[in-house]
Amino acid sequence: MDSSAAAQLYGQHCQSCHGADRLGGMGPALLPESLERLKSAEISNTIRQGRSATQMAGFAGQLTDEQISQLTAYVQSAPATPPRWSDADMRASHRQPVALSSLPARPQYTANPLNLFVVVEAGDHHVTVLDGDRFRPITRFASHYAVHGGPKFSPDGRFVYFSSRDGWVTQYDLYSLQVVADIRVGLNTRNIAVSDDGNWILAGNTLPQTLVLLDAHGLAPVKTIAVRDAAGRPSRVSAVYEAAPRHSFVVALKDVPELWEISYDRHAAPVYPGLVHDYQMGEALGQPGFLTPRVTPLSMVLDDFYFDPSYQHVLGASRSGQAQVISLDARSKVADLPLDGMPHLGSGISFERDGHRIMATPNLKGGQLSFVDMDSWQLIRQVQLPGPGFFLRSHENTPYAWADSMMSAHKDTLSIIDKRTLSVVRQLVLRPGKTTAHVEFTRDGRYALVSVMENPGELIVVDAQTLREVAALPMAKPIGKYNVFNKVNRSEGTSH
Ligand code: DHE
């Protein structure tokens, strides 16, 4: 069967839900960028069997094995006409079903709104809002397909913002428990950041290669910035971060060796020529630095970052495992970091030890935890875990940090590390054989909430001192959970 026959099959069976141009509709986008995390066999299986608890039906009875593999190859290949997502498309997608002025002044439930957990369930693309005192769900609602990364909160913790891999950004009111605004900022999005004044959302896209600035109060689009280097080469965005003490966003780029900082301080110093690309000049010259990217050239692409508490220094890692410290004020490298393998700085945490601030980061290749002194930028200890993992978590009120080994044969094992001795004091297997990862603490640090990332999976509540299980809630592959208080107060043990 040739590709036009596959296109015909697509038109007949898939287009009504996934869109004529494969950009998505009721179902997710079916573009190579959207599907790159899935193996061909997984895509074929989904076409064959459908996806439970979704509208995606199985086609085993209607399509032959050969037709299913042709369709699989078709959706994994780039469309003949490159997909486009213009500002007009974005504006047309904007929905604001509820007026912000009509929202209630207080939460419509009795739970403490600052000790809520927002749990992203990837198994059936839902979100649960959980009472963090009683460990009971308050509500559960359908999200967009493949919400990824950390939802971000308004500074008062009232609103939570989600981004999906398919480019949707959603504003949800945690008082009245409803979606208040929604917009598709791109076809493939990495993540979002919320400004510390609560006024702006910055979204970083890989398709198209843009940054999109939104008004945080209702998600109206404000500005789209094409991501290109001085020579005009486009770059995908790797991640956007919020540097609260600097009142700026920091942008990591995937394809060009540059680091961008975008100030949302209306009194920001002007961005001088040389720190801004020609194509941004028109907007920048003679203007204050407000909302204009300032460029730091790098010696290599660094696309995974961690910040010191003042946000003056950025620790950056390349995909080949090299790591550096960049000064955001000097706009240059100030140190090399002795971290080999593949440090996953984005999952790092920091804590005080003997009068020094220590940063700890997992390593995706070797499965170690590396501890770096943030005063001297020296590696002070490496601790071997049973295997590589993704996440590392702690809290100010616990002496322990929790690491997983989810990318190894020991995917069920959590390692408990004493932050005072920098050694593993206990290994915890809550559900033998099941992928167990991603920990978030209650606001007081008393309990750790742990994901069993399976479908069906569980959210397990563990006493952070005795390490005993105290509750378990059934969930559909809960990939991440986020405590409102810890997030808005920037707990040193969690992601921001
Ligand atoms: Fe993530 C956060 C990138 C695969 C679960 N992940 C992030 C962030 C980035 C990122 C840049 C930070 C977002 C933020 O805080 O706003 N993730 C990537 C990748 O590049 C990678 C390796 C490949 C990809 O396809 O994008 C990847 N991530 C995964 C997964 O396979 C995970 C385990 C499950 C999934 O997506 O279905 C996964 N990523 C997560 C989670 C967070 C995250 C749970 C939020 C961590 C937090 O606590 O803040």
Side-chain angles (χ1 to χ4, degrees):
M1 188 190 300
D2 59 21
S3 66
S4 66
Q8 215 172 354
L9 280 178
Y10 177 88
Q12 205 178 330
H13 299 287
C14 320
Q15 168 172 317
S16 58
C17 291
H18 296 279
D21 38 20
R22 291 161 51 191
L23 301 189
M26 189 173 70
L30 295 178
L31 298 167
E33 291 83 354
S34 328
L35 299 169
E36 66 188 1
R37 287 177 330 120
L38 300 177
K39 298 189 184 94
S40 304
E42 291 175 276
I43 298 173
S44 294
N45 249 351
T46 304
I47 300 174
R48 197 171 287 118
Q49 292 163 9
R51 308 187 76 237
S52 62
T54 72
Q55 309 272 8
M56 174 71 191
F59 289 85
Q62 295 177 58
L63 298 173
T64 64
D65 277 353
E66 201 205 329
Q67 286 173 317
I68 289 174
S69 20
Q70 291 294 337
L71 258 181
T72 301
Y74 178 73
V75 295
Q76 286 179 306
S77 61
T81 317
R84 285 175 47 81
W85 193 250
S86 66
D87 276 1
D89 294 322
M90 175 163 59
R91 258 181 254 112
S93 74
H94 184 217
R95 292 190 299 250
Q96 218 181 324
V98 181
L100 292 172
S101 56
S102 71
L103 294 175
R106 280 174 230 305
Q108 305 296 291
Y109 45 82
T110 52
N112 178 350
L114 283 179
N115 199 26
L116 299 180
F117 283 83
V118 171
V119 189
V120 174
E121 295 183 64
D124 60 359
H125 309 283
H126 275 66
V127 171
T128 291
V129 178
L130 190 75
D131 176 344
D133 293 313
R134 299 183 192 92
F135 305 120
R136 283 197 208 123
I138 295 176
T139 189
R140 187 172 193 269
F141 59 93
S143 69
H144 281 289
Y145 175 80
V147 165
H148 174 224
K152 301 289 152 69
F153 295 87
S154 59
D156 58 2
R158 172 172 190 154
F159 296 107
V160 56
Y161 300 90
F162 301 95
S163 67
S164 80
R165 289 185 189 267
D166 260 8
W168 286 97
V169 178
T170 304
Q171 180 179 8
Y172 184 86
D173 178 30
L174 285 170
Y175 283 9
S176 61
L177 304 174
Q178 61 186 328
V179 170
V180 293
D182 209 23
I183 186 167
R184 192 174 191 185
V185 294
L187 298 175
N188 201 258
T189 294
R190 289 295 286 176
N191 74 326
I192 51 169
V194 181
S195 63
D196 76 307
D197 59 10
N199 288 332
W200 309 101
I201 310 283
L202 188 70
N205 289 328
T206 55
L207 187 67
Q209 289 126 332
T210 52
L211 290 163
V212 176
L213 188 76
L214 305 171
D215 181 338
H217 311 288
L219 303 183
V222 176
K223 183 173 180 173
T224 301
I225 301 171
V227 181
R228 284 184 264 144
D229 70 1
R233 276 177 305 182
S235 174
R236 293 167 293 171
V237 175
S238 193
V240 293
Y241 305 88
E242 197 244 330
R246 302 173 69 83
H247 309 302
S248 66
F249 295 113
V250 175
V251 183
L253 303 180
K254 230 179 176 40
D255 304 310
V256 299
E258 291 185 354
L259 172 66
W260 288 14
E261 184 175 13
I262 300 176
S263 176
Y264 50 82
D265 181 350
R266 287 184 191 270
H267 306 294
V271 177
Y272 293 105
L275 289 181
V276 66
H277 291 321
D278 281 351
Y279 73 89
Q280 293 160 349
M281 285 291 204
E283 290 174 69
L285 271 183
Q287 301 290 325
F290 182 57
L291 301 182
T292 302
R294 282 213 294 178
V295 176
T296 298
L298 302 172
S299 57
M300 64 181 81
V301 172
L302 301 175
D303 68 355
D304 182 22
F305 288 137
Y306 187 78
F307 297 83
D308 71 359
S310 70
Y311 282 77
Q312 279 175 12
H313 294 102
V314 183
L315 286 65
S318 72
R319 263 161 282 164
S320 59
Q322 282 157 296
Q324 299 178 351
V325 184
I326 310 292
S327 159
L328 277 178
D329 287 334
R331 311 220 147 248
S332 61
K333 176 177 104 174
V334 291
D336 282 310
L337 275 178
L339 297 174
D340 48 7
M342 201 188 280
H344 185 24
L345 299 177
S347 281
I349 58 165
S350 79
F351 53 92
E352 285 284 317
R353 179 176 179 262
D354 299 336
H356 291 266
R357 181 138 295 264
I358 308 297
M359 186 262 180
T361 174
N363 197 308
L364 297 180
K365 221 177 228 166
Q368 311 91 8
L369 281 185
S370 307
F371 296 90
V372 172
D373 183 324
M374 296 183 85
D375 298 320
S376 63
W377 304 122
Q378 292 302 306
L379 178 69
I380 55 168
R381 184 78 61 86
Q382 295 236 90
V383 168
Q384 189 60 47
L385 301 177
F390 235 77
F391 304 105
L392 178 64
R393 280 301 158 85
S394 188
H395 188 281
E396 287 80 350
N397 296 344
T398 170
Y400 304 124
W402 298 47
D404 65 85
S405 289
M406 69 175 278
M407 291 160 69
S408 76
H410 300 279
K411 62 185 184 180
D412 58 2
T413 306
L414 293 172
S415 299
I416 314 295
I417 299 104
D418 191 320
K419 294 187 282 186
R420 297 160 297 194
T421 58
L422 306 185
S423 54
V424 177
V425 290
R426 180 89 184 262
Q427 279 176 344
L428 207 57
V429 179
L430 295 164
R431 297 290 182 273
K434 304 252 167 101
T435 303
T436 307
H438 198 274
V439 175
E440 176 88 306
F441 289 83
T442 45
R443 65 176 279 181
D444 56 7
R446 245 187 103 187
Y447 297 100
L449 275 64
V450 181
S451 289
V452 176
M453 284 193 198
E454 310 264 349
N455 195 12
E458 286 173 90
L459 191 75
I460 302 182
V461 183
V462 180
D463 184 313
Q465 210 178 345
T466 63
L467 304 182
R468 290 215 183 90
E469 180 176 329
V470 296
L473 291 89
M475 296 232 173
K477 198 178 179 198
I479 51 169
K481 69 217 67 71
Y482 310 89
N483 178 273
V484 176
F485 182 88
N486 293 341
K487 293 294 170 188
V488 299
N489 288 287
R490 302 179 175 281
S491 162
E492 63 182 21
T494 190
S495 60
H496 302 142

